[in-house]
Amino acid sequence: MKLSTRVRDLTPSATLQAKADAERVRRSGIDVIDLGPGEPDFNTPGPIKDAAKRALDENFTHYVDTAGIPELRAGLADRYQRDFGTDYGPEEVMIGCGGKNVLFLLAQAAFEPGDRVGIFAPYWVSFPDQVRLAGAEPLFLPTREEDGFVARAEVLERALATEALRAVIFNSPCNPTGAVIPGEEIARFSELARKHDLLMVSDETYEFFHYGQGSFASFARETPRMREQLVIVGSFSKSYAMTGWRVGYALGPRSLIGAMIKIQSHDASHTASFSMKGAVAALQVPPSVLGSMREAYRRRRDLMVGELSRVEGIRCLRPEGAYYVFPNVSGFMKRFGFVNSVDLARGLLLGLGLATVPGSAFGAEGYLRMSYAVAETQIREGLRRLQECRNLPVPGEGR
Ligand code: PLP
């Protein structure tokens, strides 16, 4: 079959691939501890499910507005005004089929051949491919492990001295590192965006899962200074344990939001009508619901970081947000004779029944991503296997 050039260089999502690999090994009879998943192990809270069930019973099952149902767009505009002091109106909000789809629509609407788009590494797997699918080119901007993998404005400024960029994609809290960009750094980015006329895309999918002091530093706070150059992307998937519902959103300049809606009108049309009714109810769940999930994640993070520190050859920071750790495993790789993180992840899966995602999928060799959105018993057992590991199947050793 002749496929488009566009798709030929595209690799399938490494995180979804890791999930499929773990499933395959589990089906072969191995007891797998899966630290790969990028989704909460909690169930969607009851009031959200009730709202969707009600919508179905009331036959809210037809096509709705391509931009998303008005009450959800208005509800999000209100929420951002309340939490971050923004003045977005409902027409500056669009709803898509999850944050991933919203980012895809955004890339299609804003980027074109000849554009370069800055992406801080380690990065979420879909950013570079979405940029490439729009015909543009990613420019990777480094972060440093010693600096907690925080995206720094000085790195962007240095890049801008030699490169013209159309946009920069930020992700705080970050998947895979858990790094959170502090408010002062966001102000510096905002200044650079104004000076260099950059579009700033801020993916804040994990906004509710940050464990540092004070409230979450959203790019939304910069809207008085860079309203026309900023798009905030969010999702109900992680915050409200609604991954399968497929509801994500963007807030931004009316022209860009309008363009994304226009593309959606020729694509999915909109996400499921009753999923959006559930999302409206999600905006009303008491903060304690999110708070209890956050506290559970914080405990699990501490458990995971503590247990990892007892594995010879692994060094792990205590991330400030999301629900992933991104340990440096270069010493561990050397110990067992692995030359890359893909082989190591495969070795751990086949040798220990431990599923992780290789760092190279996120643009960082010598690391693994492990999720703590799993039960504490699973974390303990997975890490015990790692601590007691004495032998692993290395490719090329005939095993
Ligand atoms: N952005 C980041 C950084 C993510 O990690 C994910 C999911 O893993 C998404 C966006 C998209 O999530 P969804 O499409 O479920 O809203």
Side-chain angles (χ1 to χ4, degrees):
M1 169 68 71
K2 181 182 173 299
L3 299 174
S4 69
T5 327
R6 231 179 9 263
V7 87
R8 251 178 269 148
D9 296 335
L10 195 65
T11 42
S13 159
T15 43
L16 295 182
Q17 187 59 49
K19 189 176 155 88
D21 288 347
E23 213 35 63
R24 190 173 33 77
V25 171
R26 186 175 279 142
R27 273 200 306 274
S28 77
I30 295 179
D31 162 36
V32 174
I33 300 288
D34 193 356
L35 302 181
E39 66 172 327
D41 62 326
F42 297 111
N43 292 323
T44 306
I48 302 174
K49 291 195 275 198
D50 291 342
K53 286 182 210 165
R54 235 179 356 261
L56 286 169
D57 288 340
E58 290 168 4
N59 295 310
F60 193 71
T61 53
H62 301 272
Y63 287 134
V64 294
D65 290 7
T66 307
I69 58 174
E71 63 210 280
L72 183 54
R73 298 170 79 194
L76 281 162
D78 285 350
R79 197 227 123 188
Y80 272 76
Q81 183 183 39
R82 218 171 38 244
D83 290 355
F84 304 118
T86 57
D87 62 350
Y88 289 114
E91 66 292 342
E92 292 162 304
V93 182
M94 67 85 59
I95 314 296
C97 308
K100 190 184 269 187
N101 166 245
V102 168
L103 286 159
F104 186 85
L105 296 173
L106 170 62
Q108 292 295 319
F111 309 147
E112 62 189 353
D115 287 342
R116 302 203 83 188
V117 177
I119 298 174
F120 281 93
Y123 47 75
W124 180 49
V125 290
S126 292
F127 293 143
D129 283 317
Q130 292 191 343
V131 166
R132 289 189 193 105
L133 278 170
E137 234 187 287
L139 176 75
F140 298 113
L141 303 164
T143 61
R144 292 183 306 121
E145 182 184 346
E146 311 80 81
D147 188 29
F149 295 111
V150 174
R152 294 291 176 194
E154 62 186 30
V155 173
L156 176 59
E157 192 167 19
R158 262 200 308 278
L160 287 166
T162 55
E163 301 276 352
L165 293 183
R166 161 77 181 104
V168 182
I169 302 177
F170 297 92
N171 176 214
S172 170
C174 172
N175 173 8
T177 63
V180 175
I181 306 177
E184 321 82 78
E185 204 65 38
I186 290 176
R188 289 184 200 115
F189 282 122
S190 159
E191 207 179 305
L192 282 175
R194 277 173 280 140
K195 188 166 156 201
H196 295 269
D197 193 22
L198 302 174
L199 176 68
M200 309 297 255
V201 178
S202 183
D203 175 352
E204 303 186 357
T205 291
Y206 295 92
E207 61 170 324
F208 288 112
F209 304 130
H210 73 98
Y211 315 107
Q213 299 291 315
S215 56
F216 169 63
S218 169
F219 273 72
R221 293 230 181 264
E222 287 298 314
T223 49
R225 286 165 290 283
M226 54 179 294
R227 202 174 189 295
E228 288 306 303
Q229 290 168 254
L230 175 66
V231 195
I232 307 283
V233 175
S235 171
F236 287 83
S237 288
K238 321 284 174 166
S239 315
Y240 303 95
M242 290 174 67
T243 43
W245 296 63
R246 310 311 300 134
V247 192
Y249 55 87
L251 297 92
R254 193 188 289 225
S255 56
L256 180 53
I257 294 292
M260 291 162 68
I261 295 167
K262 194 156 67 172
I263 298 172
Q264 175 149 273
S265 78
H266 293 294
D267 178 32
S269 293
H270 54 75
T271 194
S273 52
F274 42 91
S275 283
M276 287 192 265
K277 284 286 190 180
V280 171
L283 291 176
Q284 273 131 38
V285 299
S288 58
V289 173
L290 297 180
S292 64
M293 289 198 258
R294 180 165 49 235
E295 284 318 302
Y297 288 139
R298 185 202 299 273
R299 272 198 313 277
R300 294 169 183 186
R301 173 198 65 169
D302 292 345
L303 173 65
M304 196 173 243
V305 171
E307 293 300 318
L308 276 169
S309 71
R310 297 170 48 206
V311 183
E312 192 190 328
I314 293 189
R315 188 172 70 214
C316 186
L317 297 171
R318 188 177 303 270
E320 294 238 310
Y323 44 59
Y324 308 102
V325 292
F326 199 62
N328 182 322
V329 292
S330 44
F332 190 86
M333 281 165 50
K334 219 175 272 160
R335 215 179 121 198
F336 289 95
F338 289 96
V339 292
N340 64 56
S341 55
V342 169
D343 287 347
L344 173 62
R346 194 172 297 131
L348 292 176
L349 181 59
L350 297 176
L352 302 183
L354 184 63
T356 58
V357 187
S360 56
F362 308 95
E365 193 47 273
Y367 295 85
L368 288 177
R369 189 192 77 174
M370 297 182 188
S371 164
Y372 49 89
V374 295
E376 285 185 25
T377 48
Q378 297 276 297
I379 296 176
R380 281 185 207 286
E381 171 58 17
L383 275 285
R384 184 194 63 76
R385 292 183 190 183
L386 210 49
Q387 287 159 358
E388 293 175 5
C389 172
R390 296 290 168 265
N391 188 24
L392 282 174
V394 177
E397 282 192 351
R399 302 182 44 170

